[in-house]
């Protein structure tokens, strides 16, 4: 009846990786820079777990006797997107970054998409999701053409107004794009971006957004657990990040909704892995360089974790980590190449230092070891350090 709770705080980096400069991210330090920007963080629960023992953070004390095991995970895969980070956390390292399109997609790609879907395309550039609607939403309503755009990530995004294009048609078009975009153009995600409203007041429909991801290139922690008949419960967008392979998930547009489902899982799930993606540090605050919002999100996280800890059972592993950085204090509004924090709590977990781990995959290997399933393709388990 073992349970593990793997909580990925999307975008909550903990200092630049050794190769951050190669990604244009020298100086990125999501937690550290936010702490400095607000004059120090006050996170009593995370401090008690050992957050301040991972590395110095203004306002967060390095407690002498932390309640959790603590460490730092370093990215080994090429790339700094959510798919790459989550795959690596689950034992699949990505040796070559997914393609990106800072100048837009090639004309032949868009021509093929138009031919297959029966609608033209406008946009075809790097843009923010809200900015592209302000710029092209009215034209889309006039013409019915898809709004196609990308970002610094490897994404092919298709936006359409729900009153102009039926949702089923938008989803079918994105499935078509996913089938097209392989090989050299094998983007990590095709994203359906439905929106509502009128010119000057367009809003994205985050509830009906749908991601079409590439399938993992090797066996993941989720695959190993499924093969062994061990239950897997998803919270947030984790199903999208693994192309729905061996995980189903309840999507949560806000952190608060994710925390509510985590509390419910702590109360009701009897065994297996609960895998949560907590999205707003990335989606709502990191990408918008919203330091006050990010700070408030950290305060809310601390409160939420404090409410969860008493619900953890004797044999549980309760794990907090991240998938990449998204520093709201830098000029960039994109992900940043960062190390990520690692906290592992449980009544039977030894509160030891886990050191600087050379790959996120060490975490997945540890969870595989905990459940007694075959080893993953990458990573070294630190379960022994938790149980010593």
């Amino acid at each position: 009846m073992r349970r593990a709770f793997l909580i990925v705080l999307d975008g909550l980096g903990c200092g630049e990786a050794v190769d951050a400069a190669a990604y244009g991210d020298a100086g990125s330090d999501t937690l550290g820079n936010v702490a400095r920007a607000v004059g120090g963080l006050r996170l009593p629960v995370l401090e008690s777990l050992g957050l301040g023992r991972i590395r110095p953070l203004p306002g967060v004390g390095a407690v002498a006797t932390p309640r959790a095991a603590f460490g730092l995970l370093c990215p080994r895969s090429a790339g700094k997107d959510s798919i790459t980070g989550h795959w690596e956390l689950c034992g699949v390292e990505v040796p070559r970054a997914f393609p990106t399109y800072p100048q837009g997609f090639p004309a032949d790609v868009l021509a093929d998409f138009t031919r297959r879907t029966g609608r033209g395309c406008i946009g075809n550039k790097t843009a923010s999701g809200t900015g592209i609607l302000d710029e092209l939403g009215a034209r889309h309503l006039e013409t019915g053409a898809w709004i196609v755009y990308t970002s610094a990530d490897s994404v092919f995004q298709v936006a359409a107004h729900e009153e102009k294009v039926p949702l089923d048609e938008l989803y079918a078009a994105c499935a078509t794009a996913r089938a097209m975009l392989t090989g050299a153009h094998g983007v990590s995600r095709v994203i359906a971006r439905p929106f509502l409203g009128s010119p000057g007041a367009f809003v994205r429909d985050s509830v009906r957004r749908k991601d079409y991801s590439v399938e993992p290139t090797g066996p993941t922690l989720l695959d190993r657990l499924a093969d062994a008949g061990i239950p897997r419960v998803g919270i947030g967008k984790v199903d999208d990040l693994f192309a729905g392979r061996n995980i189903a998930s309840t999507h949560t547009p806000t952190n608060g909704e994710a925390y509510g489902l985590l509390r419910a899982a702590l109360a009701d799930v009897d065994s297996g892995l609960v895998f949560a993606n907590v999205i707003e540090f990335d989606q709502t605050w990191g990408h918008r360089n919203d330091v006050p919002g990010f700070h408030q999100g950290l305060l809310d996280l601390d409160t939420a974790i404090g409410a969860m800890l008493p619900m953890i059972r004797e044999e549980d592993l309760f794990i907090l980590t991240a998938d990449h950085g998204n520093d709201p204090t830098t000029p960039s509004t994109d992900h940043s190449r960062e190390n990520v924090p690692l906290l592992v709590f449980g009544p039977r977990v030894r509160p030891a230092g886990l050191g600087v781990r050379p790959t996120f995959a060490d975490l997945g290997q540890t969870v595989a070891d905990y459940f007694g399933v075959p080893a993953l393709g990458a990573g070294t388990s630190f379960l022994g350090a938790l149980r010593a």
Side-chain angles (χ1 to χ4, degrees):
M1 303 295 286
R2 289 189 166 187
R3 307 192 306 172
F5 295 81
L6 174 52
I7 302 166
V8 180
L9 305 167
D10 204 313
L12 198 71
C14 197
E16 64 180 27
V18 294
D19 57 355
Y23 289 80
D25 294 324
S28 291
D29 178 3
T30 301
L31 268 173
N33 284 342
V34 170
R36 284 181 280 274
V38 301
L41 297 171
R42 301 293 181 268
L43 305 171
V45 175
L46 292 170
E47 179 181 282
S48 74
L49 292 177
L51 182 62
R53 292 290 297 273
I54 297 174
R55 52 156 293 192
L57 287 169
V60 181
V63 294
T65 54
R67 300 169 66 191
F70 56 91
L72 195 69
L73 298 176
C74 302
R76 180 178 283 169
S77 296
K80 55 178 181 176
D81 59 276
S82 292
I83 283 185
T84 301
H86 281 73
W87 285 12
E88 187 173 331
L89 285 167
C90 287
V92 177
E93 294 177 348
V94 180
R96 187 168 54 253
F98 295 110
T100 57
Y101 296 87
Q103 307 306 318
F105 298 96
D108 62 327
V109 170
L110 291 191
D112 193 17
F113 183 60
T114 293
R115 179 183 62 80
R116 295 190 190 204
T117 63
R119 292 182 183 270
C121 300
I122 55 178
N124 192 30
K125 60 182 180 179
T126 299
S128 76
T130 52
I132 199 78
L133 298 185
D134 292 339
E135 178 185 351
L136 297 175
R139 185 175 165 195
H140 161 75
L141 288 175
E142 294 169 4
T143 65
W146 305 115
I147 301 174
V148 175
Y149 64 107
T150 188
S151 72
D153 290 340
S154 179
V155 291
F156 183 95
Q157 302 187 86
V158 185
H161 196 286
E162 293 177 29
E163 294 175 4
K164 185 69 175 181
V165 179
L167 275 171
D168 286 347
E169 184 181 349
L170 172 61
Y171 293 157
C174 289
T176 295
R178 177 70 279 167
M180 284 172 44
L181 296 169
T182 59
H185 295 308
V187 296
S188 66
R189 280 182 291 168
V190 174
I191 307 177
R193 292 284 197 178
F195 66 99
L196 297 162
S198 55
F202 290 123
V203 292
R204 295 196 291 182
D205 186 346
S206 59
V207 174
R208 293 181 175 86
R209 161 186 168 163
K210 194 169 182 179
D211 291 35
Y212 299 77
S213 304
V214 292
E215 282 214 16
T217 54
T220 71
L221 171 66
L222 300 171
D223 298 330
R224 293 285 194 252
L225 296 176
D227 290 344
I230 296 170
R232 297 134 345 265
V233 176
I235 294 172
K237 64 179 183 180
V238 290
D239 56 345
D240 287 341
L241 298 172
F242 291 87
R245 198 168 87 189
N246 287 318
I247 186 74
S249 189
T250 301
H251 285 212
T252 50
T254 67
N255 287 5
E257 291 173 86
Y259 301 149
L261 289 179
L262 279 165
R263 288 193 297 272
L266 281 160
D268 299 332
V269 172
D270 289 325
S271 65
L273 174 69
V274 176
F275 192 177
N277 174 277
V278 177
I279 198 169
E280 286 196 282
F281 293 111
D282 183 68
Q283 173 184 277
T284 304
W285 306 309
H287 282 306
R288 298 177 185 175
N289 283 353
D290 181 355
V291 174
F294 204 109
H295 181 214
Q296 185 59 52
L298 288 170
L299 300 179
D300 294 341
L301 169 68
D302 198 70
T303 299
I305 297 302
M308 294 178 206
L309 294 183
M311 305 176 73
I312 295 170
R313 299 177 187 172
E314 185 70 19
E315 293 288 338
D316 289 352
L317 291 184
F318 186 84
I319 305 163
L320 294 169
T321 190
D323 53 349
H324 52 70
N326 197 332
D327 190 336
T329 72
T330 65
S332 169
T333 58
D334 299 320
H335 297 159
S336 45
R337 178 75 168 180
E338 294 188 46
N339 303 321
V340 299
L342 173 63
L343 292 169
V344 185
F345 176 78
R348 299 190 65 183
V349 169
R350 176 173 172 260
L354 300 172
V356 177
R357 315 297 302 191
T359 171
F360 292 4
D362 284 2
L363 176 53
Q365 196 74 269
T366 301
V367 178
D369 194 8
Y370 171 73
F371 282 110
V373 299
L376 304 172
T380 301
S381 173
F382 51 78
L383 186 65
L386 300 179
R387 295 301 196 213

